[in-house]
Structure formats: C-alpha cells, structure tokens
Amino acid sequence: MRFICSLFPSQLVKTADLDPRHNYILGFHPHGVLVAGAFTNFCTDATGFQQLFPGLTSYLLMLPLWFRAPFFRDYIMCAGLIPSDKESASYPLRKKKGGSAVVIAVGGAPEALDAHPGTFNVLLANKKGFIKIAMEHGAHLVPVFSFGENEVYDQVENPKGTWLRWTQDRLQGIMGVSLPLFHARGIFQYSFGLMPYRRPIYTVVGRPIRVEKKEKPSGEDLDALHQLYMDELSSLFDEHKGNYGVDKDVHLNFV
C-alpha cells in the first residue's frame, strides 16, 4: 500500500487532535473519480493514520452493491470498508467506549461526474443524512478536504443539459453507481491511459464539531448543524488552500 501512496504521492494532514473516547463521522470531500485520497489514507496505514490519531479505527463507507461480489467483497472488507446503508454505518458508532471514525464521501457517486481538474464543486447543500446519523449517535463531525483529488484524472466534458450527462444521470439513478468517462496516463507512456496522473493529494482533516446526542432531532436541529458543518468545511478549505496551490480568490461551490 505504501507504493500506491507514493504514486501520487498521498499525504494525510492533521490539524487537531481527535479524542479516542468519542466516535466520529469524517465527511470526505470531494469524491473525485475514484476516492483515491480516502482509500489511501483511511483504508491503509501507509500515510500514518494510526500514528496521527492513536486509538481510532477508521471505516470507509462504500456502496452496498460492491459487497455482493464474491472475493472482491472479502478484499474490501479486509481493508476496513463497510456498506453505506444506515444500519451498517451506524454499527461502529454504537461503541460506548468510542474509538470509531466512520468516513463518508458525502457527495457520493453523483459528485464523481463533476470531478474535473481545477474545479471545487461540493455536493453538500441538500445532504443531511450523515448529519442525522451523527446526532442520533452523538458522533462528532469532522470535515475533511482532499486537495488534489480532482486532479489525478481528466474527464470527458459533461455539463448538465448535454446528452452525455443525461445518460450518466439516468444510469446512475438505475444502477446506483456513476460512470464518469475518465482517462489519464498509461504504464509506459504519459499521453493516454487509465493510470492516474502522478499529482499529489493532500487530505486535510479538520477540527471536530461537537455533537450532542438526540435520538429524534428536529428539522431545525438538522439545519443548524448542517450549516455549521458547511461553514467549518469552508473555513478548512480557505485556511489551507494557499499551501496546496489554490488561488486565494477560489472558494468552495456548494451544490
């Protein structure tokens, strides 16, 4: 796994301590084409997750569809991935002694269709399911932004309103997975292929947002925490973008 991380390379950046006596939901943004930053940082210890956050065990959520494939299912479970249905996601958060860090690529498969280099679109404006789970279990929220996630692949232009995007949206609605038409480099040449570009990915883990447990949170509770989360994610991006080659006038675009 260290060889995979050194390919980009991938680096995990800590900004605050996470107390292992609590459980956490880490919101990962953006999804990118293949969620490379989430896999390399939270499904392996090649970038030092265990050393940076001692006492925590990370679990990356993945579409339940992939757990129906024999052998592949066993492989991804060994890497710490779990299905993204509510029951599976909630199970680690029930640990009374804490120590669980559930990682959710909040934008999901639809966000992958907008993973173009140089873009900072985050599918979050109407995403409140993970907020509700956090409140129901009293799990603290942690925003995570992966600088460079959208840079490792090029994608065929597919703006909304085109026949390609219409087809991709329809297939995603039917199958549950998105089908971005991506390309990058080859193994022995750098002009075309499916190997990712060797561009650095910096996954920055933000400060925890304290969440009080409410088994039946009201709509107002969800809206307030959701807005706070978006504000914290924006602050995290603005604080660190200068370190990773993003222009100071660029801001997150919530969709």
Side-chain angles (χ1 to χ4, degrees):
M1 291 301 179
R2 298 188 193 281
F3 294 108
I4 297 177
C5 292
S6 62
L7 172 67
F8 301 106
S10 182
Q11 181 179 342
L12 186 63
V13 181
K14 174 183 177 180
T15 64
D17 291 330
L18 298 181
D19 190 338
R21 294 174 296 178
H22 300 293
N23 293 317
Y24 300 88
I25 292 180
L26 277 62
F28 181 88
H29 313 272
H31 183 285
V33 171
L34 294 179
V35 210
F39 182 81
T40 54
N41 287 294
F42 302 115
C43 293
T44 79
D45 196 38
T47 57
F49 179 85
Q50 296 285 339
Q51 289 72 41
L52 291 174
F53 303 103
L56 290 182
T57 302
S58 58
Y59 303 91
L60 177 63
L61 300 189
M62 193 175 189
L63 285 173
L65 167 70
W66 300 111
F67 291 84
R68 299 173 186 169
F71 304 113
F72 181 71
R73 170 192 61 208
D74 301 282
Y75 168 72
I76 59 179
M77 290 178 69
C78 287
L81 288 100
I82 59 178
S84 58
D85 60 89
K86 184 176 181 180
E87 181 61 28
S88 299
S90 298
Y91 182 78
L93 300 176
R94 296 194 187 106
K95 293 183 178 180
K96 295 182 179 180
K97 294 184 179 180
S100 294
V102 174
V103 184
I104 303 176
V106 179
E111 193 175 67
L113 298 176
D114 289 323
H116 296 275
T119 61
F120 297 94
N121 299 317
V122 175
L123 188 58
L124 180 60
N126 296 309
K127 294 280 188 176
K128 300 179 183 178
F130 74 108
I131 299 290
K132 185 176 182 180
I133 293 176
M135 295 194 75
E136 289 175 342
H137 296 279
H140 298 344
L141 288 166
V142 182
V144 178
F145 195 87
S146 192
F147 291 91
E149 188 71 40
N150 287 343
E151 309 300 319
V152 296
Y153 281 105
D154 291 320
Q155 185 176 169
V156 175
E157 291 296 325
N158 58 342
K160 291 185 181 295
T162 61
W163 68 269
L164 174 58
R165 186 56 176 265
W166 180 87
T167 302
Q168 290 174 320
D169 288 338
R170 291 276 297 194
L171 291 175
Q172 193 273 321
I174 295 171
M175 300 186 300
V177 296
S178 61
L179 299 173
L181 299 181
F182 61 91
H183 59 90
R185 47 162 282 200
I187 299 177
F188 301 111
Q189 46 77 31
Y190 291 85
S191 58
F192 187 82
L194 297 181
M195 289 284 290
Y197 292 121
R198 298 195 67 178
R199 296 171 179 169
I201 298 175
Y202 302 99
T203 302
V204 183
V205 181
R207 298 178 293 270
I209 301 169
R210 184 174 179 83
V211 178
E212 296 295 335
K213 184 175 181 179
K214 289 188 178 181
E215 295 185 0
K216 295 183 179 180
S218 66
E220 291 77 10
D221 293 331
L222 294 175
D223 290 342
L225 184 56
H226 181 256
Q227 185 60 53
L228 176 59
Y229 179 86
M230 289 199 298
D231 292 342
E232 286 293 323
L233 179 61
S234 292
S235 296
L236 178 70
F237 177 80
D238 290 337
E239 287 173 14
H240 295 274
K241 62 186 179 183
N243 299 330
Y244 307 115
V246 181
D247 191 88
K248 63 179 182 179
D249 295 324
V250 174
H251 301 283
L252 292 183
N253 178 37
F254 292 116
V255 294

